[in-house]
């Protein structure tokens, strides 16, 4: 039965736990779990424990078997009335579970013969009876018995012997942070000395044979630990830190206290098997999970409605970390691209929700871009408003005041108010209101005075028809007509629905460099000419605003082409000027050369009141790319040769920037040279970044048969590399061929669809091919739903998350809407549809009501 949970209904748990003791006798089909939990009453109420799929062998309180007549038990709950309980007692249970049959990958399951766990958000209830909620925290003592050679859990090791290991985690934690791993593993060891002089033992655990691809993960971990001490003053608090790579994992990684479990694609890397993007993601995600040790573990969230408290803050911290390790400007632009592609789309559709929702049916469906990426943007705005010193003061107070607690957004806001003296009542709306504000700018110029008139409005979202104004920090500068900066970055605070700001003493009318650094997650409407955009692209001192000017110039040209068939000359000319200086910052130039994606073009057309045509959008984008390639062939060829990286591969920012520009040039040149350069690069590349980039060009050019066969021959036994092979084919194929190609790939014996990485590679790769997924005959929708229906009984969590491919179905023409609705209707009517997927499909279909 589907039950909606409401924030307003939250009540404190009536008991606290002094200690949780667990014993595991591991077996694939019949793992025995014995638990002893020391409860102490702290308020009125029954003892309510969560459980799912447990074969209960015994239950007892203080050693006495429970009278079954006192227990109300269903599939997911066990209730002992308050009248049957003393104020302090030990609850004991023995249950049996089946890791081998756990294809949902929640709780304890097997991955290639290795036992591992995933307990966030509510996976621990699949292991034993427990109050599976984040505000119930306890120290854990865990005994593991198995014939596996490596037995790991949270905390510090107490004893290790043949077939048994005991672990103790002294820091109170909720059940979602519990972890256990048992398998045939080898460690890449190292150590880290903390700022107080303690030596911490570090291990990255991988399967035998993967050791040579785990070194970068260890380097990233050490950099993360050092950065968190230097930037936030946070020191690691256990004697050992273990990180494990797992092949079958629904998420990217999990921050379990002292035992982080990672999807293997975010641990294993070598020049021959991983791209520059893979290396950056490994570094960033390892940093993210490590930073959770304080922002998520030592201080956790009171309830799942507060998920953005730990995730938004930790995403912001990992963004800071990557910015410091690599190029801050390029990182910021990448973060904005991700936000717009995922979160803005979410805000504009039936899945819109605030960073802190007030209700949900299935919490796994709220691990969204709004909680993570928008949550991070809210932290960034807060930091911009209170300043560097105010932010550090507030964070120090947060760690002191709330260490060991389960907190709320109100606790977080109060810390900033107390540390800085600001009233943040209005700012809190960023946490409670859904939707992306639209910021409209108009200008008045007279006698050296520039007046900027801003208006903000947020469209209705499900359950929130009206939105009061928010605090919007607007960072801007002014660029004179000669390209000089006449006003450096200034932050305006907009608090009203309409507000004006005046700048005096200007010699000539400047161009406004708006929303520098992307100072707030808003969309912008303003009148600006192509010449003014070109001026900003050439001269703006803010890297983000400079990129945005070129991006907007390209976007306007593409929309004009998609709707009228012409346009783009201004962007082509501006790019010509940029290419002559591209070597100054190759990564930035590569971003400017990359045209807006088809999905973003469609989103913008819809936002402007039009009906996007996926085929026309594809044609417009291909035509503009062809024009740029033709007009600038010589300069592109020069840059392609100049950006070759000499010497052995290094995954640093400089090398990655050069390779990104080289591949951006290759993508354009392939339209001129018949993929000749791409074929040469594919055959000669010594690293996966260029190998995969060349392969994508060959697929787009329709000259991929031999290259794909060679790739599969070389990497057929490498699961992670073959995921790339499955992904790029439907992603880069011509739209009229993508469905057939995806169907053929799905028939292959090595399409292990029960593995989340392999399933996502093929199906998400196909869905990202905008014109193919939105094929006019509905074949893209039908193919996707066929596979979602097959996966749902096996892995509901992955299925539900992939339903989001359909969240924009109502913005297309009537025929496409009919096809999408029919496909979604088949999924919704499926017998035995999971609660996870049912909620998602219901919400998506409601968008067309």
């Amino acid at each position: 039965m589907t039950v909606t949970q409401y924030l307003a209904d939250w009540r404190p748990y009536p008991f606290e736990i002094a200690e949780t003791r667990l014993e595991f006798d591991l077996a694939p089909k019949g793992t025995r779990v014995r638990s002893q939990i020391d409860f102490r009453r702290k308020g009125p109420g029954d003892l309510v424990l969560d459980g799912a799929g447990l074969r209960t062998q015994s239950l007892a309180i203080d050693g006495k078997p429970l009278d079954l007549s006192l227990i109300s038990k269903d599939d997911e709950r066990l209730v002992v009335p308050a009248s049957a309980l003393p104020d302090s007692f030990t609850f004991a249970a023995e249950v049996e579970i089946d890791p081998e049959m756990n294809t949902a990958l929640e709780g304890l399951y097997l991955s290639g013969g290795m036992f591992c766990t995933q307990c966030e958000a509510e996976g621990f209830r699949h292991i034993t009876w427990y109050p599976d909620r984040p505000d119930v925290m306890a120290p854990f003592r865990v005994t593991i018995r198995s014939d596996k050679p490596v037995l790991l859990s949270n905390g510090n090791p107490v004893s290790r012997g043949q077939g048994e290991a005991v672990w103790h985690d002294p820091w109170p934690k909720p059940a979602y942070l519990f972890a256990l791993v048992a398998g045939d593993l080898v460690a890449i060891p190292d150590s880290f000395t903390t700022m107080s002089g303690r030596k911490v033992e570090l291990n990255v655990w991988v399967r035998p044979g993967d050791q040579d691809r785990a070194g970068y993960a260890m380097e990233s971990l050490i950099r993360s630990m050092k950065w968190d001490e230097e930037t936030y003053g946070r020191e690691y608090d256990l004697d050992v830190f273990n990180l494990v790579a797992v092949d079958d994992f629904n998420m990217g990684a999990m921050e379990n206290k002292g035992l982080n479990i990672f999807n293997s694609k975010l641990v294993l890397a070598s020049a021959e098997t991983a791209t520059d993007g893979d290396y950056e993601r490994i570094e960033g995600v390892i940093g993210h999970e490590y930073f959770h040790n304080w922002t998520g573990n030592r201080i956790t969230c009171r309830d799942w409605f507060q998920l953005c408290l730990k995730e938004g803050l930790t995403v912001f911290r990992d963004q800071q970390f990557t910015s410091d390790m690599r190029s801050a400007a390029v990182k910021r632009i990448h973060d904005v691209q991700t936000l717009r592609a995922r979160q803005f789309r979410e805000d504009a559709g039936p899945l819109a929700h605030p960073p802190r929702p007030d209700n949900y049916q299935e919490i796994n469906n709220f691990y969204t871009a709004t909680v993570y990426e928008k949550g991070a943007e809210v932290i960034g705005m807060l930091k911009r408003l209170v300043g560097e010193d105010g932010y550090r003061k507030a964070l120090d107070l947060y760690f002191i005041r709330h260490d060991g607690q389960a907190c709320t957004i109100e606790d977080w806001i109060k810390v900033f108010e107390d540390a800085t003296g600001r009233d943040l009542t209005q700012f809190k709306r960023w946490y409670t209101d859904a939707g992306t504000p639209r910021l409209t700018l108009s200008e008045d110029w007279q006698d050296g005075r520039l007046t900027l008139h801003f208006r903000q409005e947020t469209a209705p979202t499900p359950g929130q028809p009206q939105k009061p104004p928010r605090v919007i920090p607007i960072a801007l500068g002014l660029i004179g007509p000669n390209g000089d900066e006449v006003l450096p970055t200034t932050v305006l605070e907009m608090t009203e629905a309409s507000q004006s700001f005046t700048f005096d003493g200007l010699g000539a009318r400047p161009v406004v460099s708006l929303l520098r650094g992307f100072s707030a997650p808003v969309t912008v409407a303003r009148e600006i000419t192509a010449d003014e955009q070109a001026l900003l692209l050439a001269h703006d001192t803010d890297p983000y605003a400079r990129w945005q000017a070129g991006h907007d110039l390209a976007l306007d040209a593409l929309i004009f082409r998609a709707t009228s068939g012409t346009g783009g000359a201004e962007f082509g000319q501006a790019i010509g000027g940029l290419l002559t200086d591209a070597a100054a910052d190759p990564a930035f130039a590569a971003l400017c050369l990359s045209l807006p994606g088809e999905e973003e073009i469609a989103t913008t057309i819809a936002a402007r009141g039009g009906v996007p045509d996926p085929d026309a959008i594809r044609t417009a984008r291909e035509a503009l790319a062809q024009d740029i390639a033709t007009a600038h062939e010589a300069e592109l060829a020069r840059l392609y040769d100049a950006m070759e990286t000499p010497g052995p591969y290094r995954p640093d920012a400089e090398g990655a920037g050069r390779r990104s520009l080289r591949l951006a040039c290759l993508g354009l040149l392939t339209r001129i040279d018949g993929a000749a350069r791409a074929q040469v690069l594919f055959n000669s590349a010594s690293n996966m970044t260029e190998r995969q980039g060349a392969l994508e060009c060959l697929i787009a050019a329709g000259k991929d048969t031999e290259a794909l066969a060679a790739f599969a021959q070389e990497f057929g036994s490498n699961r992670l590399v073959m995921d790339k092979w499955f992904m790029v084919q439907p992603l880069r194929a011509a739209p009229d061929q993508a469905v057939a190609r995806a169907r053929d790939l799905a028939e292959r014996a090595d399409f292990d669809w029960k593995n989340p990485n392999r399933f996502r590679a093929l199906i998400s790769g196909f869905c990202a091919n905008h014109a193919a997924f939105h094929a006019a005959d509905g074949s893209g929708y039908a193919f996707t739903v066929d596979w979602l229906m097959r996966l749902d009984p096996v892995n509901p969590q992955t299925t539900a998350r992939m339903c989001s491919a359909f969240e924009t179905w109502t913005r297309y023409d009537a025929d496409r809407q009919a096809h999408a609705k029919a496909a979604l209707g088949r999924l919704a009517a499926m017998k035995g549809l999971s609660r996870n997927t049912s909620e998602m499909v219901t919400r998506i279909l409601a968008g067309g009501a």
Side-chain angles (χ1 to χ4, degrees), residues 530 533-534 537 547-562 566-572 574-575 591-597 600-601 608 620-621 624 628:
Q533 289 172 324
L537 174 60
W547 168 81
Q548 184 65 61
H551 187 77
D552 287 345
L553 192 59
L555 188 59
D556 289 343
L558 287 164
I559 290 172
F560 197 76
R561 281 199 176 215
T566 60
E570 297 90 346
F571 178 72
I575 283 297
L591 285 169
C592 293
L593 268 182
S594 301
L595 295 178
E600 183 180 0
I601 299 167
R608 295 178 182 179
R621 194 171 184 275
L624 181 56
I628 293 169

Side-chain angles (χ1 to χ4, degrees), residues 125-146:
R125 64 191 60 194
H126 295 272
I127 293 174
T128 193
W129 292 106
Y130 202 81
D132 192 7
R133 44 188 285 172
D135 58 333
V136 178
M137 305 168 72
F140 277 63
R141 187 178 185 90
V142 179
T143 301
I144 311 168
R145 301 185 186 94
S146 172

Side-chain angles (χ1 to χ4, degrees), residues 335-344 373-374 377 518:
D335 289 341
V336 174
Q337 289 176 318
T338 299
L339 184 81
R340 286 176 174 160
R342 297 175 55 210
Q343 199 281 320
F344 278 20
E373 278 76 24
K374 188 170 185 177
E377 292 297 323
F518 196 65

Side-chain angles (χ1 to χ4, degrees), residues 84 103 160 217 254 319 337 385 396 546 601 624 637 771:
T103 60
R160 306 183 218 194
M254 181 61 211
Q319 290 174 348
Q337 289 176 318
L385 289 170
D396 288 344
R546 186 182 177 203
I601 299 167
L624 181 56

